[in-house]
């Protein structure tokens, strides 16, 4: 079995112009090629975060293809290598999100366990100003996966594994302290983004014994399911992916895409195709970007009009 990795390079768009973000090349027996990704960007667009792979060769099929990946930050397009924590054997680092003010990146560092050379133990981490690193609390839980952070990086959301129930739980870290977000039943769930003040989180839930997954929002200590747009079957899978700074608008995807404003659906179910969208608030204005669509070219503009 051989790993194949398509060349990919982290990038950003500045005023519509593509800018490649620099990173060392990955070198394998197949040759040298770029292998980097950018996952998050600050409110002013000057700071981006992600990962790059610079390993020399994939040692064996049993090792993760991401071994040798490093957490990265780009300031005005200049690469900053984020430090790793002291682990028995460092395998990978990954920065998944950056705070709105650009000061804090959040993600994970993985380390190999000596007794289990093909097992990876991730640690939830936060990097401040591209230099200092802190490990977020995980208590008796395993495999933390930070996914989003708030405006100043003090609140982080993601998921964590409960070894007792053997389920992934939605997690929230406030100044490094872990809280498991509530669920109506003991389901699998994940939080992926939060508002600027960190008080509202969004994500999705996978109920036990059901093939359906649904978009969820956590606020005031409770979880609520976001509604399915009118005209869409109630069993459709829905996913909340992002939330505006003020917590008023949530965006995500299902078979055709949806956006919610204060819990009210903005898109009906008669539009065919698939739309994956994210909401980001900059300078008080909502920017809705359609990342993927196959039909109904005017749909993103109509959503933006409804939000505006």
């Amino acid at each position: 079995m051989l790993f194949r990795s398509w060349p990919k390079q982290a990038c950003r768009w500045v005023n519509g112009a593509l800018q490649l973000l620099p990173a060392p090349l990955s070198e394998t027996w197949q040759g040298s090629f770029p292998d980097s990704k950018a996952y998050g960007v600050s409110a002013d667009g000057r700071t981006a975060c992600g990962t790059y792979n610079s390993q020399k060769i994939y040692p064996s099929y049993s090792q993760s293809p991401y071994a040798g990946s490093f957490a990265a930050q780009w300031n005005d397009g200049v690469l900053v290598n984020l430090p790793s924590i002291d682990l028995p054997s460092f395998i990978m680092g990954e920065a998944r999100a950056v705070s709105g003010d650009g000061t804090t990146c959040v993600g994970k560092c993985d380390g190999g366990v000596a007794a289990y050379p093909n097992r990876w133990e991730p640690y939830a981490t936060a990097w401040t100003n591209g230099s200092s690193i802190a490990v977020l609390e995980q208590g008796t839980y395993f495999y933390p996966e930070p996914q989003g952070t708030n405006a100043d990086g003090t609140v982080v959301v993601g998921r964590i594994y409960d070894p007792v129930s053997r389920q992934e739980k939605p997690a929230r870290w406030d100044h490094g302290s872990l809280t498991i977000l509530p669920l109506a039943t003991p389901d699998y769930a994940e939080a992926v983004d939060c508002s600027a003040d960190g008080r509202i989180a969004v994500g999705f839930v996978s109920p036990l014994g059901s093939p359906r997954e649904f978009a969820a929002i956590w606020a005031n200590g409770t979880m609520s399911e976001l509604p399915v747009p009118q005209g869409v079957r109630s069993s459709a899978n829905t996913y909340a992916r992002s939330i505006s700074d003020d917590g008023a608008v949530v965006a995500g995807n299902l078979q055709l895409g949806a956006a919610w404003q204060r819990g009210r659906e903005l898109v009906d179910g008669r539009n065919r195709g698939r739309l994956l969208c994210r909401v980001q608030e900059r300078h008080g204005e909502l920017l809705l970007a359609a990342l993927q669509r196959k039909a109904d070219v005017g749909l993103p503009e109509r959503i933006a009009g409804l939000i505006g």
Side-chain angles (χ1 to χ4, degrees):
M1 178 178 178
L2 298 177
F3 282 112
R4 293 184 178 179
S5 181
W6 296 106
K8 50 188 174 290
Q9 184 162 352
C11 64
R12 66 175 180 168
W13 286 265
V14 180
N15 297 321
L18 175 65
Q19 181 184 77
L20 299 178
L21 299 174
L25 297 179
S26 178
E27 300 178 10
T28 74
W29 62 272
Q30 295 172 308
S32 300
F33 52 85
D35 190 5
S36 59
K37 296 179 182 178
Y39 290 112
V41 65
S42 60
D44 62 8
R46 298 183 62 182
T47 302
C49 71
T51 185
Y52 70 87
N53 191 333
S54 66
Q55 70 179 47
K56 300 301 181 182
I57 194 168
Y58 298 140
S60 70
Y61 74 90
S62 62
Q63 185 166 349
S64 166
Y66 298 104
S69 295
F70 297 88
Q73 176 178 316
W74 290 271
N75 297 328
D76 291 324
V78 178
L79 174 65
V80 176
N81 290 302
L82 296 175
S84 63
I85 58 179
D86 186 15
L87 297 171
S89 59
F90 174 75
I91 289 181
M92 67 167 286
E94 185 177 67
R96 295 289 301 190
V98 60
S99 59
D101 61 10
T103 62
T104 304
C105 294
V106 299
K108 65 177 182 177
C109 288
D110 284 18
V113 180
Y116 305 95
N118 295 322
R119 174 182 166 191
W120 296 273
E121 287 286 354
Y123 294 82
T125 50
W127 295 270
T128 304
N129 297 322
S131 55
S132 62
I133 184 172
V135 178
L136 306 180
E137 177 191 353
Q138 65 184 69
T140 59
Y141 298 93
F142 298 152
Y143 310 118
E145 295 271 355
Q147 299 289 337
T149 186
N150 68 333
D152 60 5
T154 56
V155 176
V156 180
V157 296
R159 68 172 182 259
I160 202 164
Y161 179 76
D162 183 349
V164 177
S165 65
R166 298 183 179 180
Q167 295 168 354
E168 291 180 341
K169 302 292 185 182
R172 180 180 185 270
W173 290 268
D174 190 341
H175 292 84
S177 180
L178 172 66
T179 299
I180 303 301
L181 296 175
L183 294 169
T185 55
D187 304 322
Y188 293 84
E190 177 178 356
V192 298
D193 197 16
C194 62
S195 57
D197 59 12
R199 298 176 63 183
I200 304 174
V202 295
F204 48 89
V205 177
S206 302
L208 289 176
S210 171
R212 180 176 179 253
E213 297 179 313
F214 63 82
I217 185 168
W218 287 269
N220 301 318
T222 61
M223 183 209 74
S224 301
E225 178 180 353
L226 289 168
V228 175
Q230 184 178 6
V232 177
R233 68 182 189 279
S234 60
S235 60
N237 291 336
T238 57
Y239 304 90
R241 303 291 187 185
S242 190
I243 185 170
S244 61
D245 280 356
D246 63 2
V249 179
V250 180
N253 70 287
L254 37 58
Q255 281 80 2
L256 47 87
W260 298 270
Q261 186 171 21
R262 302 193 186 279
R264 177 175 61 86
E265 62 268 23
L266 298 180
V267 185
D268 63 33
R270 293 187 293 273
N271 300 289
R272 297 181 179 180
R274 182 176 180 180
L275 173 68
L276 177 62
C277 54
R278 291 182 65 83
V279 171
Q280 186 175 39
E281 190 171 40
R282 295 181 183 175
H283 310 296
E285 296 180 357
L286 287 171
L287 172 64
L288 181 64
L291 302 182
Q292 180 183 6
R293 53 180 175 170
K294 293 182 179 178
D296 197 345
V297 176
L299 182 57
E301 290 76 17
R302 294 192 353 240
I303 298 176
L306 287 168
I307 293 177

